[in-house]
């Protein structure tokens, strides 16, 4: 597939010749297929190919980073990164210890999308699009499909040499309904670690999505205010990611004394029923891998156990500065970026409350499903539901227009008063941080009930 | 500090390579267009008030679009050494591609729109670091507890477009960008302040940026609360960019109009917005980061009036969408790393005649929204926006009394902008993407926890 292998083999030898506290080199070759429909017709089917890499060096605590497409002249690039780091560094370099690893990880995905003929992909998407178009009152549709597979070579000055295959797949199907100037949309987002079979057989869900878009045209807007809300597992997964996951990323905390005090291990965030975990070692999901982009083997990290903060996500640098252990959460979306602390697969663990029990106690509330998106400022978060219903006397009542929910992380987790006994995983979408988007992640949760949640239209 | 920049000298030129790709495509029986870009970006990154990282991002991209048998094929690569494979891929996917509804442009005249200032080559990494350091020092002199992340970056890029019908375009661009985000933490309360400046010219001082952020810090010093209900809301330029622009950028997109998914689609020449509101797309303003002599398909840049005195004037098109809609490209073919599609280049909202101070003075009770978080994560296609007021202030009896929290503002752009209380007379650029005054809305839904 590529001629990077020879380059990679030499890397460890080459790195020995340079003087810096730490150096790593990454080379990446990738191929992607992109299929897009806007309306009935296919708008774009394209194949892209990329070869590139980067060098990252640390000198006296400062970092230099060089990314490139032209892989010739590696020596100059390494020297530039070291020179940059030297200009920045004024302290001592600190990286948490990581055993050097030599390993070759080949992709084991079932029905890898990279091997599926383009025509088969197109036929499946044609079927989905046709389902939307055969729904009365649908104005148009939008489908975005992307699969990618890449081979990454990583070597560092501590003797690690890792070749890792990665594959990913994301599909978003949107149905758009219109009446007069009223435009409503409903979406379905799915993804996998490259397994094409996971996006097959969605016909019924696509049909529901189209029907929902039409129904929203005649749905009322929510009256803004505080409500008891029940989140379905898909939206609850997004909630876990936005409302708590990002706050667990140590790069926000490690250089900020005040935040370190707030995020002290042992602090109570929620009830005893609340357990939140993140880890790339949870297998076969979009955020799963064997080694992170610093070559640290994947782990599974409890962030909250029985309502108490017990852990956080680290790179080697944040772990060293906080005197904790690296958790294999240093990730980069590609060779143009240095690894930063990111989530992988973030889950709220199931509790013991059935859906019926959860709903039964609610006189007036809102049941929210599916997602449009979510974002966080650490303290405050918002997330928006693709589908919302009033709850009246313990039952799901009328459909509402999409709603936006917001809250304060320090209050909202305590307001979770019921955790379902089910579990659903959301693999759609992708995470954005520091200009790096979309990063493959997954999130999951049982149904959740949250009291006093601020809801707006 | 030593000079690290290699600047423009390292931006590769596609040159002959483009011609070779075009002739291979011709041999495969296709009309073809090659888009080539090469760039170098040098960011200096400060984390928690200190210089943390220096970066050098060097990259190239070659995109080939062909028309074969009336269908469009497309392939992208970062490599210049694999010409035949690039052509083969484009040919392979063209059998499934959309029917081409356009012809590649012939050789033509481009307007002189300067977006490259050679003085940028003289800007050293040392000077960039000094800019960041002085910005942080100014802000910390005002608020010693403030924790700042700053990025000072300079970028140079070369764009070349060439097609088999003789069309040819090429330009250089330079951009300097400074972004600051500050957090002030008191207990579990976090205050976020920030701003950004960008230009094709070197930026020599950080005075304006520092003043803007210090102003935010001062206005947010006290806390104020607001009750759930309907209130007048003034959106500052940042507020306008975060609340209204995502919806408008879609609503005026020719592709969305063509699909019938834009609420504006069948309202051309109608009075949809407040008569004081005028908006244009403009890639012709010299030395603005989003300006350019031509779009990514080689169509000359132009000013396109979108709203004139509240009346919908036109929509934005690339070649293919214009062909489908039976109209002309407005020079808005934008690649964003893929096949060209219509996108706004830079939006300009005309200023009104009321000073921001006077708007606030007029307000008995209301809100000033500076940053709405998550506003675009709802049905923006339908014009809706709704988000948490990440930075905003309460106004009582004509004065800003403090910052609000746990507060949401929501509405529909098409309704909200149809009747305004006032449009500000001071305008500014936000992210190089939009130039706008403050916009004063008489009544908006506000939801609050208190």
């Amino acid at each position: 597939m590529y001629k990077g292998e020879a380059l990679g083999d030499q890397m460890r030898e080459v790195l020995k010749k340079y003087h810096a506290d730490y150096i790593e080199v990454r080379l990446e070759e990738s191929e992607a297929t992109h299929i897009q429909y806007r309306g009935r017709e296919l708008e774009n089917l394209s194949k892209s190919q990329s070869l590139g890499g980067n060098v990252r060096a640390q000198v006296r605590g400062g970092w230099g980073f060089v990314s490139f497409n032209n892989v010739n002249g590696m020596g100059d690039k390494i020297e530039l990164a070291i020179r940059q780091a030297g200009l920045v560094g004024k302290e001592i370099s600190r990286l948490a210890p990581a055993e050097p690893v030599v390993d070759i990880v080949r992709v084991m995905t079932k029905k890898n999308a990279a091997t599926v003929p383009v025509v088969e992909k197109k036929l499946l998407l044609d079927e989905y699009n046709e389902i939307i178009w055969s729904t009365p009152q649908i104005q148009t549709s939008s489908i975005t499909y992307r699969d990618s597979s890449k081979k990454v070579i990583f070597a560092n000055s501590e003797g690690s040499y890792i070749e890792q295959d990665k594959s990913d797949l994301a599909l978003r199907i949107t149905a758009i309904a219109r009446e007069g100037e009223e435009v409503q949309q409903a979406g379905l987002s799915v993804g996998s670690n490259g397994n094409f079979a996971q996006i097959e057989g969605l016909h019924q869900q696509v049909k529901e999505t189209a029907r929902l878009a039409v129904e929203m045209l005649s749905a009322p807007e929510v009256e803004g205010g505080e409500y008891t809300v029940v989140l379905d597992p898909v939206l609850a997964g997004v909630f876990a990611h936005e409302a708590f996951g990002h706050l667990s990323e140590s790069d926000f905390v490690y250089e900020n004394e005040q935040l370190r005090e707030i995020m002290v291990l042992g602090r109570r965030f929620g009830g005893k029923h609340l357990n939140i975990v993140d880890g790339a070692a949870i297998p076969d999901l979009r955020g799963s891998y064997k080694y992170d982009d610093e070559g640290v083997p994947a782990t599974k990290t409890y962030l909250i156990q029985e309502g108490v903060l017990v852990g956080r996500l680290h790179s080697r640098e944040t772990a060293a500065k906080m005197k904790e252990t690296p958790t294999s959460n240093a990730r980069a979306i590609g060779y143009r970026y240095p690894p930063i602390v990111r989530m992988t697969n973030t889950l709220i663990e199931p509790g013991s409350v059935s859906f019926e029990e959860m709903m039964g106690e609610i006189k007036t509330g809102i049941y929210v499903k599916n997602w449009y998106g979510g974002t966080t400022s650490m303290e405050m978060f918002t997330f928006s539901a693709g589908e919302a219903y009033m709850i009246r006397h313990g039952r799901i009542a009328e459909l509402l227009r999409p709603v936006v929910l917001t809250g304060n992380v320090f209050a909202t987790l305590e307001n979770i008063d019921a955790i379902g006994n089910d579990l659903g995983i959301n693999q759609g979408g992708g995470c954005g941080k520091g200009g790096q988007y979309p990063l493959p992640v997954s999130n999951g949760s049982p149904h959740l009930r949250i009291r006093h949640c601020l809801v707006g239209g | 500090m030593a000079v690290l920049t290699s600047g423009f000298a390292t931006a590769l030129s596609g040159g002959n390579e483009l011609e070779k790709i075009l002739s291979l495509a011709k041999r495969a029986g296709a009309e073809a267009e090659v888009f080539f870009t090469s760039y170098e970006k040098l960011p200096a990154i400060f984390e928690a008030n200190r210089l943390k990282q220096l970066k050098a991002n060097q990259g190239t991209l070659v995109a080939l679009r062909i028309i074969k048998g009336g269908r469009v094929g497309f392939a992208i690569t970062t490599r210049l050494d694999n010409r035949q494979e690039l052509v083969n891929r484009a040919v392979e996917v063209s059998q499934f591609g959309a029917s081409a509804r356009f012809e590649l442009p012939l050789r033509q005249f481009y307007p002189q729109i300067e977006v490259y200032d050679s003085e940028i080559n003289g800007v050293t990494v040392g000077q960039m670091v000094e800019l960041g350091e002085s910005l942080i020092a100014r802000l910390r002199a005002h608020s010693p507890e403030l924790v700042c992340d700053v990025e000072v970056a300079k970028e140079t890029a070369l764009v070349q477009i060439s097609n088999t019908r003789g069309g040819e375009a090429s330009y250089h661009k330079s951009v300097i960008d400074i972004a600051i985000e500050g957090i002030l933490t008191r207990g579990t309360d976090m205050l976020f302040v920030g701003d950004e400046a960008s230009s094709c010219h070197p930026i020599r001082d950080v005075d304006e940026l520092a003043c803007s952020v210090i102003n935010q810090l001062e206005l947010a010093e006290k806390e104020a609360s607001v009750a759930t209900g309907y209130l007048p809301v003034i959106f500052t330029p940042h507020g306008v960019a975060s609340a209204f622009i995502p919806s408008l950028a879609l609503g005026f997109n020719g592709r969305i109009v063509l699909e019938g998914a834009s609420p504006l689609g069948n309202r051309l020449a109608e009075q949809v917005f407040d008569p004081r509101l005028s908006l244009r797309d403009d890639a012709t303003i010299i030395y603005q980061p989003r300006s350019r002599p031509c779009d990514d398909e080689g169509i000359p840049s132009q000013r396109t009036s979108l709203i004139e005195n509240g009346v919908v004037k036109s929509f934005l098109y690339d070649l293919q969408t214009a062909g489908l809609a039976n109209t002309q490209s407005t020079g808005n073919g934008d690649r964003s790393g893929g096949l060209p599609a219509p996108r706004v280049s830079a939006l300009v909202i005309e200023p009104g005649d009321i000073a921001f101070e006077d708007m606030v003075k007029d307000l008995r009770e209301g809100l000033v929204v500076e940053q709405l978080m998550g506003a675009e994560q709802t049905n923006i296609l339908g014009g809706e926006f709704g988000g948490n007021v990440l930075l905003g202030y309460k106004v009582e009896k004509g004065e800003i009394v403090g910052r609000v929290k746990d507060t949401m503002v929501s509405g529909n752009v098409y309704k909200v902008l149809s009747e305004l209380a006032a449009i500000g007379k001071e305008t500014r650029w936000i992210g190089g993407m939009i130039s706008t005054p403050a916009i004063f809305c008489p009544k908006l839904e506000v939801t609050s926890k208190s």
Side-chain angles (χ1 to χ4, degrees):
Chain A
M1 172 176 162
Y2 69 112
K3 59 183 183 187
E5 239 158 271
L7 273 167
D9 279 340
Q10 298 161 14
M11 280 199 290
R12 279 190 303 166
E13 285 307 308
V14 169
L15 289 181
K16 285 181 190 161
K17 292 188 210 152
Y18 297 91
H19 296 287
D21 296 335
Y22 174 79
I23 309 170
E24 67 185 22
V25 175
R26 183 184 336 275
L27 292 174
E28 192 178 300
E29 180 156 32
S30 68
E31 291 189 344
T33 299
H34 182 72
I35 305 175
Q36 188 161 13
Y37 291 71
R38 290 221 60 120
R40 199 151 207 161
E41 304 297 322
L42 183 138
E43 182 186 51
N44 177 15
L45 194 162
S46 58
K47 287 192 161 187
S48 59
Q49 183 191 49
S50 132
L51 172 66
N54 67 55
V55 179
R56 192 168 68 129
Q58 193 182 34
V59 175
R60 294 185 303 274
W63 288 102
F65 179 84
V66 177
S67 76
F68 46 84
N69 288 121
N70 184 352
V71 296
N72 299 323
M74 284 296 292
D76 292 345
K77 284 152 186 157
I78 294 170
E79 278 169 15
L80 176 59
I82 294 171
R83 216 154 66 230
Q84 288 176 322
L87 290 172
V88 176
K90 293 185 172 63
E91 301 164 5
I92 299 167
S93 292
R94 283 196 288 166
L95 291 180
E99 274 300 305
V101 174
V102 176
D103 198 358
I104 293 175
V105 185
R106 293 284 170 240
V107 75
M108 301 296 273
T109 314
K110 286 179 217 150
K111 197 168 183 182
N112 192 346
T115 64
V116 175
V118 167
V119 63
E120 188 178 335
K121 296 173 188 172
K122 182 181 176 289
L123 284 175
L124 180 69
L125 299 179
D126 279 343
E127 284 173 28
Y128 293 156
N129 205 23
E130 209 37 56
I131 291 171
I132 298 177
W133 278 85
S134 62
T135 307
Q137 271 190 285
I138 282 292
Q139 176 69 38
T140 187
S141 62
S142 162
I143 296 178
T144 305
Y145 167 95
R146 186 184 168 83
D147 67 52
S148 65
S149 61
K150 60 183 172 185
K151 186 181 289 279
V152 183
I153 295 174
F154 170 89
N156 71 19
S157 53
E158 296 169 349
S160 280
Y161 176 82
I162 300 168
E163 288 184 31
Q164 207 166 189
D165 289 356
K166 291 180 178 176
S167 56
D168 188 59
L169 189 168
L171 171 66
R172 171 109 183 154
I173 296 176
T174 308
I176 296 154
R178 173 169 190 166
E179 198 174 351
E181 276 147 46
E182 196 63 57
V183 177
Q184 288 294 332
Q185 52 176 318
L188 175 67
S189 284
V190 286
S192 74
N193 59 349
N195 182 352
F196 191 77
Q198 287 193 19
I199 65 155
E200 294 176 314
L202 300 175
H203 303 76
Q204 190 55 35
Q205 280 168 270
V206 173
K207 199 171 172 178
E208 288 296 309
T209 301
R211 184 193 54 77
L212 182 66
V214 173
E215 278 181 26
M216 276 199 256
L217 286 172
S218 51
E221 274 174 35
V222 71
E223 193 177 322
E226 278 188 57
Y227 289 92
T228 296
V229 297
V230 174
L231 277 53
D232 85 326
V234 170
L235 189 61
V238 174
F239 167 80
H241 178 101
E242 297 298 345
F244 194 76
H246 279 297
L247 196 64
S248 302
E249 295 166 345
S250 299
D251 52 347
F252 286 114
V253 180
Y254 78 118
E255 304 265 34
N256 185 327
E257 276 309 317
Q258 292 137 317
L259 289 180
R260 283 177 77 146
E261 279 169 34
I262 295 174
M263 292 302 289
V264 66
L265 297 182
R267 183 191 178 108
R268 177 162 291 280
F269 272 87
K272 280 213 153 200
H273 59 177
L274 184 63
N275 295 289
I276 306 181
V277 66
D278 179 280
I282 301 168
D284 300 327
L285 296 172
R286 278 185 84 200
S288 310
Y289 47 75
K290 193 167 177 192
Y291 301 98
D292 76 355
D293 291 319
E294 291 184 319
V296 176
T299 63
K300 180 175 163 183
T301 309
Y302 271 91
L303 307 175
I304 288 192
Q305 212 157 22
E306 299 192 343
V308 172
L309 183 67
V310 294
R312 56 181 126 244
L313 308 178
H314 280 300
S315 64
R316 291 182 62 190
E317 184 180 27
T318 64
K321 293 207 170 165
M322 296 186 78
K323 300 192 175 65
E324 292 172 9
T325 312
T327 55
S328 185
N329 285 84
R331 305 181 66 189
I333 59 163
Y335 60 86
R336 292 187 205 284
Y337 302 90
I340 56 175
V341 181
R342 304 297 294 261
M343 280 173 264
T344 59
N345 308 300
T346 313
L347 308 176
I348 295 181
E349 293 189 334
S352 57
V353 184
S354 73
F355 182 63
E356 292 71 27
E357 284 173 83
M358 200 178 280
M359 298 286 285
E361 291 168 22
I362 303 171
K363 222 166 125 186
T364 312
I366 299 178
Y367 180 48
V368 281
K369 290 177 74 174
N370 221 328
W371 59 268
Y372 256 118
T375 186
T376 180
S377 74
M378 299 302 113
E379 181 196 11
M380 295 292 179
F381 58 86
T382 70
F383 58 110
S384 45
E387 198 175 342
Y389 302 85
M390 286 304 297
I391 301 170
R392 297 187 192 282
H393 304 290
R395 283 165 197 274
I396 295 175
E398 73 272 19
L399 176 73
L400 298 167
R401 293 283 168 86
V403 299
V404 181
L405 303 96
T406 188
N408 177 315
V409 62
F410 300 102
T412 307
L413 292 182
E414 280 178 28
N415 289 338
I416 298 174
D417 75 339
I419 297 180
N421 56 10
D422 50 352
L423 180 70
I425 307 279
N426 165 37
Q427 298 210 75
C431 175
K433 175 180 170 183
Q436 298 198 42
Y437 172 86
L439 183 78
V441 294
S442 76
N443 43 63
S445 172
H447 276 89
L448 295 182
R449 183 172 67 201
I450 308 174
R451 301 282 184 188
H452 311 297
C453 191
L454 200 55
V455 179
Chain B
M1 197 173 266
V3 179
L4 283 175
T5 87
S6 39
F8 220 77
T10 62
L12 284 169
S13 166
N16 273 339
E17 298 298 323
L18 303 198
E19 295 312 315
K20 287 180 192 161
I21 294 168
L22 288 179
S23 66
L24 283 176
K26 245 183 175 165
R27 213 174 298 159
E31 291 285 357
E33 163 205 67
V34 185
F35 174 89
F36 172 85
T37 181
S38 160
Y39 64 90
E40 182 177 66
K41 186 172 181 179
L42 301 168
I45 293 163
F46 295 77
E47 239 180 66
N49 303 325
R50 281 177 305 179
L51 182 63
K52 179 78 185 178
Q53 188 168 45
L54 290 176
K55 286 194 205 173
N57 295 111
Q58 302 155 345
T60 52
L61 180 85
V62 185
L64 171 67
R65 177 166 63 166
I66 64 164
I67 303 174
K68 185 173 160 65
R71 292 186 175 275
V72 178
F74 187 69
I76 308 176
T77 183
T78 57
R79 309 168 66 156
L80 280 168
D81 59 352
N82 237 336
R83 293 186 294 265
Q84 189 61 54
E85 199 182 336
L86 181 71
V87 172
N88 292 349
R89 281 161 185 259
V91 169
E92 183 201 341
V93 298
S94 69
Q95 55 184 315
F96 309 111
S99 295
R101 300 295 293 269
F102 64 95
E103 283 191 305
L104 295 165
L106 302 169
R107 195 184 190 95
Q108 58 196 295
F109 177 78
Y110 292 108
Q112 180 104 10
I113 300 167
E114 285 299 337
V115 286
Y116 179 72
D117 182 347
S118 60
E119 283 199 20
I120 206 163
N121 288 321
V123 176
T124 64
V125 168
Q127 288 166 340
M128 288 161 57
V129 169
E130 273 167 34
L131 281 176
E133 281 170 346
S134 69
L135 178 57
I136 291 168
R138 284 277 299 275
L139 299 178
R140 303 247 303 161
H142 179 273
S143 298
E145 307 274 271
L146 190 70
V147 177
C148 300
D149 288 350
V150 171
E151 180 169 331
V152 183
K154 78 164 188 173
E155 181 172 4
T156 49
L158 165 67
V159 174
Q160 292 178 309
I161 304 162
S162 188
N163 70 44
T164 48
R165 281 163 49 85
E168 228 176 332
S170 163
Y171 64 91
H172 296 296
K173 187 181 268 196
S174 60
V175 178
I176 290 240
D177 186 88
I178 308 178
I180 152 88
E181 188 183 273
I183 310 181
L184 203 55
T185 313
R186 300 179 188 118
T188 62
D189 171 60
M190 297 177 203
L191 168 66
F192 289 86
V193 291
D195 206 343
E196 178 266 359
S198 57
S199 173
C200 297
H201 292 303
I203 296 178
R204 305 282 185 202
D205 74 78
V206 290
D207 220 46
E208 245 177 90
L209 265 179
C211 289
S212 160
V213 176
I214 287 171
N215 186 44
Q216 292 174 344
L217 286 165
E218 285 178 350
L219 295 177
E221 207 160 329
K222 288 182 189 152
E223 282 199 21
S225 65
V226 61
T228 294
Y230 286 84
L231 278 181
V233 178
I234 301 170
F235 288 86
T236 66
H238 275 116
V240 169
S242 62
F244 305 145
I245 298 308
S247 277
L248 294 178
L250 282 182
F252 283 98
N253 185 319
R255 184 79 213 191
I256 309 280
V257 170
L258 180 73
E259 288 167 38
S262 167
L264 298 173
N266 46 16
R267 305 199 67 186
L268 207 57
E270 280 182 39
Q271 184 85 40
V272 174
F273 300 96
D274 187 285
R276 286 165 292 184
L277 192 68
S278 292
L279 168 74
R280 69 173 196 269
D281 181 81
D282 195 343
T284 70
I285 305 167
I286 58 168
Y287 296 112
Q288 271 302 315
R290 297 275 302 170
S291 290
R292 52 194 184 185
C294 66
D295 73 358
D296 293 346
E297 299 181 293
I299 301 300
S301 290
Q302 63 178 57
R303 290 166 64 143
T304 307
S305 174
L306 302 175
I307 305 172
E308 207 172 289
N309 302 320
V311 176
V312 177
K313 296 299 281 187
S314 60
F315 304 116
L316 300 174
Y317 291 98
D318 65 346
L319 283 171
Q320 170 77 354
T321 313
L324 288 164
N326 238 336
T327 181
Q328 302 296 313
S329 167
T330 52
N332 286 86
D334 189 296
R335 299 211 183 233
S336 299
L339 196 65
R343 281 191 193 88
V344 296
S345 46
L347 294 174
V348 178
I349 296 179
E350 291 295 324
D353 49 10
I354 314 284
F356 179 75
E357 275 181 22
D358 293 331
M359 286 188 198
V360 174
K361 266 187 205 150
D362 273 355
L363 209 51
R364 209 171 55 84
E365 189 191 6
L367 277 184
V368 172
V369 171
E370 174 89 333
Q371 196 70 45
L372 206 53
M373 179 174 72
E376 75 291 358
Q377 287 169 341
T378 181
N379 178 25
I380 52 171
L381 201 52
E384 281 152 37
F385 64 92
N388 186 311
V389 181
L390 187 63
L391 185 59
Y393 321 107
K394 174 82 182 295
V395 180
E396 285 172 15
K397 293 175 193 148
E399 272 183 43
I400 291 178
V401 293
R403 153 199 184 211
V404 295
K405 282 187 68 176
D406 290 304
T407 301
M408 292 178 86
V409 169
S410 53
N412 184 294
V413 168
Y414 300 112
K415 287 178 193 140
V416 169
L417 296 183
S418 69
E419 209 184 322
L420 298 173
I423 297 177
K425 69 176 182 187
E426 306 94 347
T427 65
R428 61 159 287 180
W429 282 95
I430 305 291
M433 191 74 189
I434 171 165
S435 166
T436 179
I439 291 183
F440 184 175
C441 308
K443 198 176 147 194
L444 265 184
E445 188 181 4
V446 176
T447 312
S448 179
K449 195 106 184 160
S450 42

